[in-house]
Amino acid sequence: MLKIYKEPIIQKIKEPFFSHNGVEVFIKREDLIHPFVSGNKWRKLKYNLEEATRLQHKTVLTFGGAFSNHIYATSAAANEVGFKSIGIIRGEELADKPLNKTLAFAKNQGMQLEFVSRENYRSKAEDNYIDQLRDIYGDFYLIPEGGTNNLAIKGCEEIVDEEVKQFDYLCLSVGTGGTISGVITAVDKDQIVIGFSALKGDFLIKEVADLLSNYTAAEHSNWHIETDYHFGGYAKTKPELNEFIEEFNSNHNFPIEPIYTGKMMFGLYDKIKKGDFRSGSKILAIHTGGLQRRE
Ligand SMILES: *Cc1c(COP(=O)(O)O)cnc(C)c1O
């Protein structure tokens, strides 16, 4: 069973413009939960690893890019719980290059890294391809790219406890949509969940709707996704975002990063300044982690 190292706390964020706009802003520090299996990745892996144990698997296999937080977290979680892990990494050209920090960490945690072409990688959700991987690597418990499946959504529901239910709005970053789906199904009906897409485009709106309908028959309408804060797309950035994060990190006693939580926080600040939140409301941002520890 995956260990919690530190219970996530909720702390207040102070900025002069919050009170001018009639809101209070807090952050739930999911990033504290584990030194290597940070934030939402811990939540997403918990029940998957329990299921892998129940099914008596010895190995977990998953997919990711060379900088993937999911690969990083899965390697550490599998190691902690006693599974062998295999990471199918996008980009066969990487096989001949020195490993970056993410991949070096994963390898150090015992993950077997297998580099595949971008074309093969695109088949990651196809049964045929998974069967081929079983022929090559033997039996494994499959964790999809980004770790998102119904057990991941179930784990992410646990981000929402009684304390979280005291807030009017919940804000979080969205990558594959697994985390926000769990938060949406767990909140009270009068709470509003706002996702900030870390990727370009609006496909995540349908993606999240599909994840929700696949998970539960209950209808949920108290959520939406902001699509204007991607800064060029996944893992892309702009000077404006970098400056915001730099200033944020020097003004507060915890850091945010530019791929997920930084974009969400930029978007949240922007929306508060535009007066998009009811006066008197309490907003809770969720720090989903993503700060891979420097070795
Ligand atoms: C992976 C990740 C996300 C995206 O979570 P999804 O469940 O894929 O939407 C958000 N924030 C951080 C820090 C992440 O590492």
Side-chain angles (χ1 to χ4, degrees), residues 59 77 97 105 164 176 276 290:
T59 304
K97 295 190 180 147
F105 173 87
V164 170
T176 62
D276 285 352

Short mmCIF file of all heavy atoms in Angstrom, two decimals, residues 59 77 97 105 164 176 276 290:
data_model
loop_
_atom_site.label_atom_id
_atom_site.label_comp_id
_atom_site.label_asym_id
_atom_site.label_seq_id
_atom_site.Cartn_x
_atom_site.Cartn_y
_atom_site.Cartn_z
N THR A 59 4.38 -7.04 -12.13
CA THR A 59 4.92 -5.96 -12.96
C THR A 59 3.81 -4.99 -13.35
O THR A 59 2.70 -5.42 -13.65
CB THR A 59 5.53 -6.56 -14.26
OG1 THR A 59 6.49 -7.54 -13.90
CG2 THR A 59 6.16 -5.51 -15.13
N ALA A 77 6.53 4.78 -7.11
CA ALA A 77 5.42 4.09 -6.43
C ALA A 77 5.56 2.58 -6.57
O ALA A 77 5.39 1.83 -5.61
CB ALA A 77 4.08 4.57 -7.00
N LYS A 97 20.71 8.44 -26.35
CA LYS A 97 21.15 9.70 -25.71
C LYS A 97 21.26 9.50 -24.21
O LYS A 97 20.64 8.59 -23.64
CB LYS A 97 20.12 10.80 -26.01
CG LYS A 97 20.05 11.14 -27.47
CD LYS A 97 19.22 12.40 -27.70
CE LYS A 97 19.14 12.73 -29.18
NZ LYS A 97 17.88 13.35 -29.54
N PHE A 105 16.01 9.22 -13.02
CA PHE A 105 15.37 8.92 -11.75
C PHE A 105 14.55 7.62 -11.86
O PHE A 105 14.64 6.73 -11.01
CB PHE A 105 14.44 10.08 -11.32
CG PHE A 105 13.63 9.77 -10.10
CD1 PHE A 105 14.14 10.00 -8.83
CD2 PHE A 105 12.35 9.21 -10.21
CE1 PHE A 105 13.40 9.68 -7.69
CE2 PHE A 105 11.61 8.90 -9.09
CZ PHE A 105 12.13 9.14 -7.83
N VAL A 164 -12.52 20.43 2.26
CA VAL A 164 -12.59 20.92 0.87
C VAL A 164 -14.02 21.32 0.52
O VAL A 164 -14.26 22.21 -0.30
CB VAL A 164 -12.02 19.86 -0.10
CG1 VAL A 164 -12.29 20.22 -1.55
CG2 VAL A 164 -10.52 19.67 0.12
N THR A 176 -4.93 15.05 -18.57
CA THR A 176 -5.77 14.06 -19.23
C THR A 176 -7.21 14.13 -18.73
O THR A 176 -8.10 13.54 -19.34
CB THR A 176 -5.26 12.63 -18.97
OG1 THR A 176 -5.32 12.37 -17.56
CG2 THR A 176 -3.83 12.44 -19.46
N ASP A 276 -14.56 37.55 -12.19
CA ASP A 276 -15.35 36.38 -12.58
C ASP A 276 -15.92 35.59 -11.39
O ASP A 276 -16.67 34.63 -11.60
CB ASP A 276 -14.49 35.42 -13.42
CG ASP A 276 -14.28 35.93 -14.83
OD1 ASP A 276 -14.94 36.93 -15.19
OD2 ASP A 276 -13.48 35.34 -15.57
N GLY A 290 3.94 18.02 -9.21
CA GLY A 290 4.70 18.21 -10.46
C GLY A 290 6.09 18.74 -10.28
O GLY A 290 6.80 18.97 -11.26
#
